[in-house]
Amino acid sequence: MASRQHINTGRSQSQSQGSENRLFIKGGKIVNADGTEDADILIEEGIIKEIGKNITLPGGIRTIDAGGKLIIPGGIDPHTHLQLPFMGTKSVDDFYIGTKAAIAGGTTMIIDFVIPEKRESLHDAYKKWRGWADKKVCCDYSLHVAVTWWSPEVKEEMENLVRCQGVNSFKMFMAYKDVLMVKDHELYEIFEHCKKLGAIAQVHAENGDIIAENSKRVFSAGITGPEGHELSRPEDVEAEATHRACVLASQVNCPLYVVHVMSKSAANVIAAKRQEGCVVFGEPIAASLATDGTNYWNQCWRHAAAHVLSPPLRPDPTTPGYLMDLLAQDDLQLTATDNCTFTHEQKKMGCRDFRKIPNGVNGLEDRMSVIWEKGVHEGKMDASRFVAVTSTTAAKIFNLYPKKGVIAVGSDADIVVWDPEKTRTISAKTHHHATDSNIFEGMTCHGVPDYVICNGRVCVDQGQLKAVQGFGKFVSRKPFAPFVYDSLKEKDEKKKASMIPVQRSGFDGEMVSKTTTS
Ligand code: URP
Ligand code: ZN
Ligand code: ZN
Ligand code: ZN
């Protein structure tokens, strides 16, 4: 296995734990996205120092026996909403509870979204999110920033965020009309600007205008329950916006990332656009890969409302399996959760009107197990593909690689000792989220983390959770991620080459200086 470039994490020694400053993981099978290797791992000061057999060990070292287990890069969840102020309330998993739940399930880094209100300074919002997160996170984290309005000031703030604050991804909403949505001509300019800055553009792809009209119509027809949520935003409303985003982004060769892909038809759009050569990435989430929209028709309002998120889960029960097939064959590229949890008490805000049910579900703790179960255990993908879709590809797209997303010399020691045979049954009674329901309730999954190591610190120890508030750090990300931008150079050349005016000998008709209408 090749050793990768050493990167200094900047984490002070006092933040690592005493004797566990040094760790030795022996006897496991290392699984990376590009292959596997039976080898031991030496960790010092939060960094992987050596990989191999017959490593000479320094004194004062703790040994973890990983015999018969897999050693995988810690999961990276590139889509969470912790303590998000949203729809008149706030998601209940804060940066402490959310990252603790993440670690419990084998995820060692998250990327959350700063979502400024319209007219709010992007920079101020970014600072607000840092203020919330820095002191609470148990694992490393980074931030995307949403562009919810458009002006010359916003344009300048985006540039500053990229240059000075370690942001290389911006998300735009094509839904939530009048609240977060931007219009097509704005999207075009934002994509153009992202491209110039070397950032990646992300979209929540649903047609907000259609949803606004449909919601009124569905509600007027007497449908007030959670099924109205899906009926007002069916899958072609997602597919149309996905297609439109791809078309807009490709006009300016801007790399595009479609968050929370929920339907077969939206996934098909992404697969087809990739075939055409567009640089677009599709992110199904744990929810869309493991459960479906039939839940909205459940007799129990509480159960149905717990599944409300946007875009919605799809009533076609073959959707999760279909999305997993596309993920396995790289028509979709990586997974996230969109973790945005609300309690039943909060969901009840919409008990008489589905439009008022706070949108969002859990996933952060269960993503790794759920994808192992539905992807690897069901025989659709191998362990290396699992690592790619839960960690490595996110690290590459968001320019964290090889600091994150790989087990290699010089990389951060974000490592999971994974027992592929052990099982656990998911339940709100035992999960670490702050919410009182779990959309995967009762699902038994193979694949359980025995140890979770964040920057060299053992945070799950033989299944025992030992997360520490404030241990995580903000991770800056540079623009022009090679994984995203390298392939664009050629496309830019081609586009430039096609922008040559035809040299004509001259216009030989009658010259008209001004048209007149009679
Ligand atoms: O329903 C969802 N997805 N809630 C979180 C906000 C968003 O749209 O991602
Ligand atoms: Zn969204
Ligand atoms: Zn129930
Ligand atoms: Zn989201």
Side-chain angles (χ1 to χ4, degrees):
M1 201 167 292
S3 76
R4 277 106 169 158
Q5 180 200 353
H6 176 95
I7 299 159
N8 192 340
T9 59
R11 190 177 306 271
S12 76
Q13 199 171 330
S14 63
Q15 283 163 320
S16 306
Q17 53 187 174
S19 63
E20 286 178 3
N21 254 348
R22 290 188 176 136
L23 272 180
F24 183 56
I25 309 175
K26 73 162 197 235
K29 182 186 282 299
I30 298 173
V31 182
N32 274 323
D34 58 0
T36 64
E37 182 187 11
D38 291 314
D40 305 328
I41 302 173
L42 174 64
I43 296 164
E44 279 183 11
E45 306 294 342
I47 302 289
I48 299 171
K49 277 278 137 70
E50 223 178 311
I51 295 175
K53 287 286 181 195
N54 309 314
I55 296 175
T56 309
L57 296 183
I61 192 160
R62 176 178 173 190
T63 297
I64 288 175
D65 183 1
K69 310 283 163 63
L70 305 178
I71 306 175
I72 59 175
I76 300 172
D77 185 343
H79 186 161
T80 66
H81 302 284
L82 302 180
Q83 59 190 88
L84 174 71
F86 192 50
M87 295 183 75
T89 182
K90 188 164 79 174
S91 61
V92 278
D93 286 336
D94 68 5
F95 279 96
Y96 171 57
I97 295 168
T99 53
K100 195 164 62 137
I103 291 170
T107 289
T108 57
M109 179 169 181
I110 63 159
I111 315 182
D112 204 85
F113 288 86
V114 174
I115 306 188
E117 285 175 24
K118 278 197 193 289
R119 315 270 154 253
E120 185 180 2
S121 144
L122 272 56
H123 183 263
D124 290 355
Y126 167 87
K127 284 287 174 201
K128 193 160 63 183
W129 255 259
R130 288 290 305 268
W132 293 337
D134 282 353
K135 53 182 188 277
K136 285 194 183 174
V137 284
C138 302
C139 64
D140 284 354
Y141 83 106
S142 198
L143 291 170
H144 314 286
V145 176
V147 179
T148 53
W149 60 293
W150 189 229
S151 73
E153 294 77 39
V154 169
K155 198 170 171 180
E156 203 178 310
E157 286 200 300
M158 286 173 70
E159 188 158 353
N160 286 335
L161 286 166
V162 172
R163 284 224 184 113
C164 314
Q165 305 294 347
V167 173
N168 70 11
S169 42
F170 294 96
K171 177 184 179 181
M172 280 63 69
F173 291 91
M174 300 168 81
Y176 306 120
K177 190 177 177 183
D178 299 329
V179 185
L180 302 170
M181 184 172 120
V182 287
K183 301 200 171 78
D184 284 0
H185 69 94
E186 295 171 323
L187 258 185
Y188 185 106
E189 289 181 32
I190 299 166
F191 286 159
E192 198 170 28
H193 197 46
C194 283
K195 174 70 188 302
K196 185 185 142 218
L197 298 175
I200 181 151
Q202 301 173 282
V203 283
H204 172 134
E206 284 186 294
N207 187 316
D209 288 317
I210 294 181
I211 292 165
E213 295 308 314
N214 277 356
S215 305
K216 284 185 250 167
R217 195 170 45 80
V218 170
F219 189 76
S220 306
I223 299 171
T224 59
E227 66 280 14
H229 182 67
E230 207 285 333
L231 292 170
S232 61
R233 43 214 308 163
E235 72 172 78
D236 50 355
V237 172
E238 181 189 357
E240 183 279 326
T242 304
H243 185 269
R244 186 157 35 97
C246 290
V247 171
L248 285 164
S250 68
Q251 302 313 305
V252 291
N253 278 349
C254 176
L256 183 69
Y257 181 110
V258 182
V259 301
H260 47 42
V261 177
M262 302 301 287
S263 62
K264 289 182 178 181
S265 48
N268 287 342
V269 168
I270 293 165
K273 284 289 168 189
R274 285 175 64 84
Q275 284 270 319
E276 286 173 24
C278 292
V279 179
V280 53
F281 305 99
E283 173 209 84
I285 58 174
S288 61
L289 290 163
T291 185
D292 63 59
T294 57
N295 288 293
Y296 299 128
W297 279 263
N298 193 291
Q299 279 297 314
C300 172
W301 189 92
R302 180 189 182 114
H303 177 103
H307 290 76
V308 167
L309 82 158
S310 295
L313 294 159
R314 300 306 173 188
D316 173 355
T318 63
T319 304
Y322 186 87
L323 295 181
M324 187 61 85
D325 289 339
L326 264 55
L327 182 66
Q329 66 211 33
D330 203 34
D331 284 326
L332 296 170
Q333 285 64 51
L334 74 166
T335 64
T337 61
D338 195 13
N339 193 96
C340 187
T341 52
F342 298 101
T343 62
H344 175 56
E345 209 45 44
Q346 290 172 298
K347 292 267 180 185
K348 264 177 23 191
M349 290 166 69
C351 64
R352 288 193 183 83
D353 182 347
F354 65 85
R355 296 170 294 186
K356 298 189 177 135
I357 301 170
N359 289 191
V361 298
N362 64 288
L364 195 37
E365 180 164 358
D366 300 321
R367 178 183 64 129
M368 301 287 279
S369 291
V370 153
I371 292 167
W372 185 272
E373 178 64 26
K374 301 281 182 190
V376 185
H377 193 71
E378 286 192 9
K380 295 191 170 188
M381 62 174 72
D382 64 11
S384 282
R385 181 67 188 160
F386 172 79
V387 166
V389 303
T390 55
S391 180
T392 312
T393 305
K396 288 180 174 173
I397 290 175
F398 296 109
N399 219 1
L400 295 160
Y401 187 90
K403 175 180 168 67
K404 306 283 187 190
V406 62
I407 294 179
V409 172
S411 295
D412 286 1
D414 287 350
I415 294 173
V416 175
V417 177
W418 187 256
D419 187 337
E421 296 308 326
K422 205 178 269 176
T423 59
R424 72 182 180 98
T425 299
I426 298 172
S427 175
K429 292 195 181 75
T430 48
H431 72 198
H432 295 86
H433 293 282
T435 186
D436 47 7
S437 65
N438 188 312
I439 57 164
F440 309 114
E441 184 72 34
M443 189 185 292
T444 297
C445 295
H446 292 77
V448 173
D450 280 351
Y451 296 89
V452 179
I453 298 161
C454 298
N455 286 290
R457 184 181 188 284
V458 181
C459 292
V460 172
D461 197 339
Q462 288 183 294
Q464 291 292 313
L465 183 57
K466 296 177 176 173
V468 172
Q469 175 151 229
F471 178 74
K473 285 272 161 293
F474 177 78
V475 182
S476 288
R477 296 174 292 122
K478 290 198 162 64
F480 295 104
F483 184 74
V484 174
Y485 269 84
D486 280 2
S487 67
L488 280 165
K489 284 181 196 141
E490 216 172 288
K491 291 185 205 312
D492 288 342
E493 300 281 304
K494 265 198 189 153
K495 189 148 252 169
K496 222 165 145 193
S498 71
M499 291 287 186
I500 294 171
V502 175
Q503 299 299 325
R504 297 188 174 85
S505 55
F507 182 71
D508 51 9
E510 189 191 343
M511 294 291 281
V512 179
S513 59
K514 196 175 170 199
T515 49
T516 50
T517 48
S518 53

